[in-house]
Amino acid sequence: MSSHIVIVDLEISNLASVLQALRQIGAPPHAFATAQNIEFADAILLPGVGAFGDGMGSLRQKQLIDPIKRAAGRGTPIFGICLGMQLLAEHSEEFGSHEGLGLIKGEVVRLRPSEPEFRVPNIGWCDVEAVRPSVFFPNSAAGCYYHVHSYHLVPKDRAVAVGIIDYAGSQHVVALDTGNLFGVQFHPEKSQDDGLRVLANFFAALPHMQRPS
Amino acid sequence: MARPRLIPVLLLKHGVLVRSQAFRTHQVIGNPMSTVKRLSDWNVDELILLDISAGDFHDLRRDDIQQRYQGTGALDVLREVSKVCFMPLTFGGRISTLEDIQQRLAAGADKVVVNTAAVENPQFIRAASNRYGAQCVVVSIDALRRNDGRYEVYAGSGKRPTGLDPVSWAQEAAQLGAGEIFLNSVDRDGAATGYDIDLVRSITKAVNIPVIACGGVGCYNDFIPGITEGGASAVAAANIFHFFEHSYPRAKQICIDAGLPMRPVQLDSPWQRREPTYDRILEDSRIDERLRRAATMDYVAAASRPDQNAIRWCTRCVYPSISAAPMEFDEQGVCMGCRMAETKAGIPSDEWKQRKELLRDILEKYRCKDGSRHDVVIAVSGGKDSWFQTHVIKEEFGLNPLLVTYDGNNWTDVGWRNLVRMRETFGCDHVLVRPSVKTITKLNRLAFVIMGDMNWHAHVGITTAPVQVAAEKKIPLVIWGEHGYLDLSGQFSMYDFPEMSYRDRLEHFARGYEWNYFVGREGLTSQDMSIWKYPSDQKIFDIDLRGLYLGNYVFWEANQHSKMIIEQYGFEISDVAFDRTYRRMSNLDDMHENGVHDYLKYIKFGYGRCTDHACKDVRAGLMSREYAIELVRKMDHVKPSDLKRWLAYAGMTEDEFDRIADTFRDPRVWRMSKNNWVKDEPWPAANGPNHNGSHDQVST
């Protein structure tokens, strides 16, 4: 049986690019998330570009916050991309102070490089180091991915991290995989072969993940 | 830290990609789709697409190609392009409102470039950045180095001085919320003299957002100082990526070898095939629709009311704007073919000597040192150019070439005699690649119906067989004659030294129809199409396989060459005149090339081989424009006698042929008036017979 994927349309994301990448790798069929269909989803994809406050605002307006939290509680796999990964956190300091979905303990804070040659936003291709085998990097081999961000998620429990980049002398978490929660800070849909592989790995692993009862 | 990026920039003008010089001269490279697809094959870091159109006029030039897209604007191009872009895509040009940005992001852009609108209203940067995020807003700065050494920002596509200093403008833009600066040097555009490093450094020092350097790259090594000395986060260029096979991976390899920590080169992606994937149902329906129109004589052009201004003609030669060749005109209405001929004529003999030395260096580099292979492959058809090429390579440079010929089974008697005599005359080994006549016959028939040209097999066979042989035998250099479109339509400059490429082959020779398009039609299998399969990217990259056009290094004038090879080697020219051109020394290898193939060009675009040849001779100063017009009026419309052979060969009646051919008439050129096909021309009227037994009316 094929999986039933729902995609959250935040209306501030680069959804077309994500859908094109899913088509390219032959991902399972999907529908846009509603408060209703999230109940039956085998996985929830949460792509996003833009400001944290706007992202949460969009979820609130679509009345998706509680359904997503309940799905997370049931064990439905949730995969956040870029802003989508940040939204999994408890809190963000982007343009004020905003509450997140609170699924991952941690905060989203601004990049504050100590060295001047590190520019903000961090735009470009960064090597990701796989810190342990994960859904995204099953062989502990990561790759090079396209990043565009001025903020980053700092999880309380570093053990959730599966991919890190070295940014201005400190290690920033850019991929996480814990229980049924997954996230990447970079843009797999814009990271050529390496990025398409991350997406393909996720969907290949999906049938083996715990399903909601 | 982020790896330094290498970014190709594509300039889109009225629907086609162009090469640019000093922001003013534009030459048509081709359809955007095939180039973007190619860049995607090459795993590029990012792509910047700039729409430099003046107004909404949009013209893809020819509609018999497979690569097409829905719609008629730059946004439609963007939508289509984003489908094959698994890398960041930045789009710029004609953006002045937040709605403009919204539209472009919705059409698939990840970032937008703003320039003139930001200069006119700096707060626009803040508004855009607040709404879409700084990472989305790239501020483009076109800077010109003035004679006094100071720099000034130019707006309006590099045409209008603004009085702004680039450094303070960059700082202001960064403060207002720009995420990146795209820095272009106006005076270095197309100059191929390298980046203006002082300019780049002054900006990278002044701001702490990433800076993309652009303008002036003439060789792969020019990218390196943009980063090491200029301090840029990314280095970009436009023209150079159009000139050579694997330009992007080669440039990147050179940067990596120089120690720059760029992303590694990757070819032959497991996710995307280089060969296009066709929507079989859609393609079948297109073919069915064409056959239906042919059967019911329901021609698109018949109902058309061509716009009087739809076609332009060069004011110097007789070339039209709606053509099979990628053509562009300058502000004086002179075509790029004439302009490049002018450039070529102005090249002093000293420079030709230097060019020859340049060629000598390349040939020496690729010459076989250990006797394990031939030195080079020469692609030969047995025609005048083949003899001249072989003369130059064998006699002047003393190399031992392997001659490779695609045998399309359309030889004239004279052409065949010339071909088989080459190995005797020049003492060279000669490989003939000879596909099954049964397969060729099928391809003749299919390609005529699909694209209005039976000679697809020949165009693609000629551009594939020599490369295939070279790749198999690991001979890293293939020698071609002239770059056809550089000469005919000024597609490139004489200083670009363009080389053969898969993109050129697929777009211009195959018109977007790759070998796999034919599989499953008339029972053709993948195996049947082996001769038309191009070697893989990795194979080409690994042996550094290049294809040079001799015309870039050696002065090329067909009439002079013919005279020389006739006198020196006894090359035979046609003893009977062709129907459709006054020249007797061209296309002897293929009776249909000057015949029914070319007649179809006339049916489609309203001009033929006589126009091509007359334009070349006008440019070479061998005839006046008035004389050329006489010849064109006499010959362009003639229905050729080789049609009989082709009809028998393909098993088609003349009526079927005419009807299918008429479905290809370009509605911008043709209209139906009292059951006659009529077209407008800028010169006085003349009549000629057309194939319906009536007459093509030509009015002014």
Side-chain angles (χ1 to χ4, degrees), chain B residues 344-461:
Chain B
K344 209 192 281 187
I347 294 175
S349 57
D350 270 5
E351 188 182 320
W352 282 116
K353 274 183 204 149
Q354 287 169 17
R355 283 174 185 256
K356 224 166 185 173
E357 288 313 305
L358 210 58
L359 176 62
R360 190 183 307 279
D361 289 347
I362 299 172
L363 292 175
E364 286 311 315
K365 180 179 164 200
Y366 289 98
R367 183 196 283 271
C368 177
K369 313 290 189 300
D370 61 4
S372 62
R373 57 167 173 83
H374 292 83
D375 293 321
V376 297
V377 161
I378 308 181
V380 300
S381 63
K384 63 181 191 321
D385 293 344
S386 307
W387 283 53
F388 180 73
Q389 281 157 251
T390 310
H391 161 81
V392 170
I393 296 299
K394 183 89 204 299
E395 305 305 328
E396 292 190 25
F397 287 98
L399 269 72
N400 180 15
L402 176 64
L403 311 182
V404 180
T405 301
Y406 169 82
D407 179 352
N409 200 36
N410 289 338
W411 302 95
T412 64
D413 291 344
V414 181
W416 180 250
R417 281 201 300 274
N418 282 332
L419 179 81
V420 296
R421 276 189 49 223
M422 287 193 81
R423 61 180 172 146
E424 180 181 323
T425 305
F426 294 101
C428 292
D429 298 336
H430 191 170
V431 170
L432 267 64
V433 178
R434 312 188 78 182
S436 134
V437 171
K438 199 171 166 187
T439 300
I440 298 184
T441 311
K442 288 178 179 177
L443 288 174
N444 263 269
R445 219 165 18 227
L446 284 166
F448 169 64
V449 173
I450 291 164
M451 67 193 89
D453 180 5
M454 59 286 293
N455 266 4
W456 177 93
H457 75 96
H459 310 317
V460 177

Side-chain angles (χ1 to χ4, degrees), chain B residues 576-645:
Chain B
V576 278
F578 284 114
D579 300 325
R580 297 184 45 76
T581 181
Y582 58 94
R583 280 195 180 180
R584 288 193 182 198
M585 75 292 192
S586 297
N587 304 107
L588 300 172
D589 60 311
D590 187 334
M591 68 177 88
H592 300 317
E593 195 65 18
N594 270 348
V596 64
H597 154 77
D598 185 62
Y599 176 68
L600 284 164
K601 184 165 82 183
Y602 175 73
I603 295 294
K604 289 175 183 173
F605 305 110
Y607 78 101
R609 184 59 46 103
C610 182
T611 292
D612 291 335
H613 287 162
C615 285
K616 291 184 186 207
D617 287 341
V618 167
R619 294 166 189 166
L622 298 173
M623 66 173 70
S624 68
R625 185 169 192 260
E626 290 65 37
Y627 189 74
I629 290 172
E630 286 303 311
L631 286 171
V632 165
R633 284 204 317 212
K634 201 171 126 209
M635 307 196 94
D636 261 7
H637 58 266
V638 173
K639 198 171 192 178
S641 51
D642 61 294
L643 177 60
K644 279 204 170 52
R645 184 263 185 176

Side-chain angles (χ1 to χ4, degrees), chain A residues 119 125 127 148 190 192-193, chain B residues 3 43-44 86 209 269:
Chain A
R119 297 181 180 229
W125 295 83
D127 286 345
V148 181
K190 289 283 163 186
Q192 298 280 30
D193 291 354
Chain B
R3 289 171 176 267
N43 197 34
V44 302
F86 301 104
I209 54 176
S269 163

Side-chain angles (χ1 to χ4, degrees), chain A residues 14 20-21 24 49 117-119 123 125-127 144 146 148 166 189-193 196-197 200, chain B residues 1-3 43-45 83 85-88 110-111 135 180 204 207-209 263 266 269-272:
Chain A
N14 60 339
Q20 190 58 45
Q24 195 73 21
V49 178
E117 63 267 32
F118 284 84
R119 297 181 180 229
I123 298 181
W125 295 83
C126 301
D127 286 345
C144 194
Y146 188 73
V148 181
D166 186 65
E189 77 284 5
K190 289 283 163 186
S191 298
Q192 298 280 30
D193 291 354
L196 294 174
R197 189 175 307 113
Chain B
M1 192 155 55
R3 289 171 176 267
N43 197 34
V44 302
D45 295 335
K83 289 184 187 166
C85 269
F86 301 104
M87 68 285 213
D110 297 294
K111 305 188 246 184
Q135 82 292 333
E180 278 179 288
T204 56
V207 296
N208 60 10
I209 54 176
R263 285 170 68 228
Q266 283 173 9
S269 163
W271 308 103
Q272 296 199 72

Side-chain angles (χ1 to χ4, degrees), chain B residues 287-343:
Chain B
I287 297 169
D288 290 347
E289 169 67 1
R290 185 174 303 288
L291 292 174
R292 183 197 66 75
R293 285 185 176 275
T296 57
M297 297 175 79
D298 173 17
Y299 306 123
V300 175
S304 66
R305 295 270 171 282
D307 170 6
Q308 295 282 332
N309 301 317
I311 319 174
R312 289 171 294 165
W313 279 266
C314 176
T315 52
R316 194 174 287 181
C317 68
V318 289
Y319 222 86
S321 63
I322 292 178
S323 66
M327 180 58 96
E328 181 68 331
F329 298 80
D330 69 8
E331 285 154 356
Q332 281 81 47
V334 177
C335 81
M336 286 300 134
C338 282
R339 287 297 183 215
M340 286 313 125
E342 218 168 60
T343 308

Side-chain angles (χ1 to χ4, degrees), chain B residues 207-336:
Chain B
V207 296
N208 60 10
I209 54 176
V211 175
I212 304 165
C214 192
V217 170
C219 66
Y220 300 146
N221 282 305
D222 286 343
F223 287 111
I224 300 163
I227 290 166
T228 54
E229 295 171 40
S233 300
V235 278
N239 296 343
I240 193 170
F241 292 116
H242 300 306
F243 305 156
F244 314 110
E245 183 64 288
H246 294 152
S247 51
Y248 187 86
R250 293 240 171 265
K252 196 167 230 190
Q253 196 57 55
I254 281 177
C255 292
I256 291 169
D257 292 345
L260 294 181
M262 284 183 176
R263 285 170 68 228
V265 169
Q266 283 173 9
L267 293 168
D268 295 345
S269 163
W271 308 103
Q272 296 199 72
R273 283 162 42 117
R274 177 184 63 184
E275 283 70 18
T277 310
Y278 301 102
D279 180 338
R280 185 59 189 250
I281 294 167
L282 181 73
E283 296 300 323
D284 284 353
S285 71
R286 279 177 56 192
I287 297 169
D288 290 347
E289 169 67 1
R290 185 174 303 288
L291 292 174
R292 183 197 66 75
R293 285 185 176 275
T296 57
M297 297 175 79
D298 173 17
Y299 306 123
V300 175
S304 66
R305 295 270 171 282
D307 170 6
Q308 295 282 332
N309 301 317
I311 319 174
R312 289 171 294 165
W313 279 266
C314 176
T315 52
R316 194 174 287 181
C317 68
V318 289
Y319 222 86
S321 63
I322 292 178
S323 66
M327 180 58 96
E328 181 68 331
F329 298 80
D330 69 8
E331 285 154 356
Q332 281 81 47
V334 177
C335 81
M336 286 300 134

